[in-house]
């Protein structure tokens, strides 16, 4: 799965996810950034959630 992160807008997208799933992923990103999580933690959270969303179809 390819995930793109825009550092200017702090937004995330993936061509394999629907608009609703991308929005859910964006919420996960915002929450992680709001908690000031380390970047490795943010990446792990985002990848796990993206895989879950992809599996849900």
């Amino acid at each position: 799965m390819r995930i793109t992160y825009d550092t200017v807008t702090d937004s995330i997208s993936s061509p394999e996810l629907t608009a609703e799933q991308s929005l859910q992923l964006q919420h996960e990103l915002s929450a992680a950034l709001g908690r000031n999580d380390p970047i490795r933690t943010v990446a792990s959270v985002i990848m796990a959630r993206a895989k879950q969303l992809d599996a849900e179809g």
Side-chain angles (χ1 to χ4, degrees):
M1 172 178 292
R2 182 184 179 126
I3 296 175
T4 303
Y5 173 66
D6 184 333
T7 57
V8 174
T9 61
D10 280 335
S11 64
I12 198 165
S13 63
S14 175
E16 289 116 19
L17 298 176
T18 66
E20 183 180 322
Q21 290 172 324
S22 292
L23 184 59
Q24 291 175 7
L25 198 58
Q26 181 64 42
H27 287 298
E28 292 283 338
L29 173 65
S30 295
L33 292 174
R35 291 187 304 267
N36 202 26
D37 288 349
I39 191 63
R40 286 185 186 204
T41 302
V42 173
S44 294
V45 166
I46 294 304
M47 287 305 299
R49 182 66 175 137
K51 288 178 183 179
Q52 180 184 21
L53 289 169
D54 188 47
E56 290 173 4

